[in-house]
Amino acid sequence: MTTATPTVGAGVQPPAPLTRAARVRKRLNSRTATLVSIVLALLWTIPTFGLFISSFRPEDQIKTTGWWTFFRDPQFTLQNYQDVLFSTGSSGQLASYFINSLAITIPSVLFPIAFASLAAYALAWINFKGRDWLYIGIFALQIVPLQMALVPLLRFFSTGVTLGGVQILPAWDLVDEQKFAQVWFAHTCFALPFAVYLLHNFISQLPGDLMEAARVDGATHPKIFRTIVLPLITPALAAIGIFQFLWVWNDLLVALIFAGGGDETAPLTVRLAELAGTRGNEWQRLTAGAFVSIVVPLLVFLSLQRYFVRGLLAGSVKG
């Protein structure tokens, strides 16, 4: 006896197999993944919540009891914020350092994004000799520790470049606010390898037919980049922008080395490191100061978060 094999009825199409991206999305939307995400979010948020509560507690309460005791004996004060934002002397004036941090961070985000997007487009859609080796070299630069480049960069800024006794590039000799340029240069150099790598993965997967149709219509590479590529890579640009903004805003080492610790150029992180006092006994100021420093990166992330996941997944899956 033979059994009939079920066949698909006439006109009925079999269900299309799930793509890799769809399978990943399905797993991430499961109940288990949702529960794990909620638990991780709570664990990640608890320290920030404790910092927020402590920033409104009086000094004697902060130094004698944990933040969780606030629910037993709630006491509020705005004195901590008053001290760190507006008080004169060594205990505050964070407001002026906010301007320095913004002056460092905004150009240090825009420069690498602009250069990396141009480089990624060239490496993805312009054929030239040595293109693949150049891309491999840029990718390999990601493994170079930042600390290894600090001394060569500092020497480059202070003495310039000399080859065979001939001065090729002069020393920068910058003072006061001019030192911001050194920080911009350093952060741009450190950010470019990862930014080029991520944007290359995104741009290289754009439809080739779209580029070919634009060339047939007479579009040059600058026009294709400006009118077609840039609008399509917005999620990747936003993801890189968030990463770079958080990195530069929270940076202490690079800014301290290349901009110095003076009031004219020091960012917010340098001031936060000084708030606890020389003996570390004034750390109640750190609660308010640290939470003040969180506000701007938090606003940046919330304003761009809808692009964040799409940008992170750019080029990671196909189909």
Side-chain angles (χ1 to χ4, degrees):
M1 177 182 292
T2 59
T3 57
T5 303
T7 59
V8 179
V12 179
Q13 296 293 332
L18 292 177
T19 63
R20 184 180 302 177
R23 290 196 298 269
V24 172
R25 192 177 299 111
K26 184 177 180 180
R27 293 193 188 100
L28 293 178
N29 289 332
S30 64
R31 291 185 179 180
T32 302
T34 302
L35 180 61
V36 171
S37 300
I38 293 174
V39 172
L40 291 176
L42 289 175
L43 292 176
W44 191 270
T45 306
I46 286 175
T48 305
F49 178 71
L51 184 69
F52 177 74
I53 294 295
S54 297
S55 66
F56 290 101
R57 302 181 72 207
E59 177 182 346
D60 58 334
Q61 292 287 316
I62 292 177
K63 290 183 175 180
T64 56
T65 59
W67 64 268
W68 50 89
T69 61
F70 165 82
F71 301 101
R72 237 184 13 244
D73 181 23
Q75 296 184 36
F76 285 96
T77 181
L78 295 176
Q79 188 61 43
N80 295 330
Y81 287 95
Q82 177 70 27
D83 289 343
V84 300
L85 286 174
F86 306 111
S87 67
T88 58
S90 61
S91 62
Q93 290 186 327
L94 281 188
S96 60
Y97 290 85
F98 249 101
I99 305 301
N100 293 343
S101 286
L102 290 174
I104 289 174
T105 304
I106 293 176
S108 297
V109 172
L110 297 180
F111 287 155
I113 288 179
F115 295 147
S117 59
L118 292 171
Y121 173 80
L123 292 170
W125 291 103
I126 299 178
N127 293 319
F128 56 90
K129 189 175 181 180
R131 182 184 67 173
D132 294 338
W133 285 107
L134 179 60
Y135 175 68
I136 292 173
I138 294 174
F139 174 79
L141 287 175
Q142 296 183 73
I143 67 174
V144 177
L146 178 152
Q147 293 80 1
M148 290 182 60
L150 294 180
V151 173
L153 264 180
L154 189 60
R155 187 173 180 179
F156 167 69
F157 292 141
S158 59
T159 64
V161 178
T162 303
L163 184 60
V166 179
Q167 187 82 21
I168 299 177
L169 292 175
W172 288 38
D173 293 330
L174 304 180
V175 295
D176 297 334
E177 290 83 358
Q178 295 175 351
K179 291 184 177 180
F180 284 145
Q182 297 181 164
V183 187
W184 301 338
F185 186 90
H187 279 304
T188 301
C189 292
F190 297 144
L192 278 176
F194 174 73
V196 171
Y197 168 71
L198 182 61
L199 287 175
H200 177 271
N201 286 351
F202 201 114
I203 294 176
S204 62
Q205 292 186 18
L206 296 178
D209 294 341
L210 186 63
M211 303 296 180
E212 189 63 30
R215 294 192 190 97
V216 170
D217 290 340
T220 60
H221 284 297
K223 186 174 182 179
I224 293 174
F225 177 78
R226 186 178 65 255
T227 60
I228 297 177
V229 175
L230 275 183
L232 293 176
I233 65 173
T234 300
L237 295 177
I240 294 173
I242 290 174
F243 273 124
Q244 181 68 359
F245 189 96
L246 294 178
W247 164 252
V248 177
W249 184 268
N250 294 323
D251 170 70
L252 172 63
L253 181 62
V254 175
L256 188 59
I257 291 177
F258 296 118
D263 295 341
E264 299 85 2
T265 56
L268 193 61
T269 49
V270 173
R271 190 56 177 160
L272 287 176
E274 300 171 350
L275 283 181
T278 56
R279 298 182 180 179
N281 59 341
E282 299 295 334
W283 60 271
Q284 79 279 354
R285 300 171 188 155
L286 291 178
T287 57
F291 198 82
V292 166
S293 69
I294 292 175
V295 173
V296 174
L298 188 63
L299 292 177
V300 170
F301 178 80
L302 292 177
S303 62
L304 298 176
Q305 60 89 24
R306 64 194 180 109
Y307 299 109
F308 187 63
V309 175
R310 281 188 289 167
L312 287 181
L313 295 178
S316 61
V317 292
K318 294 183 178 181

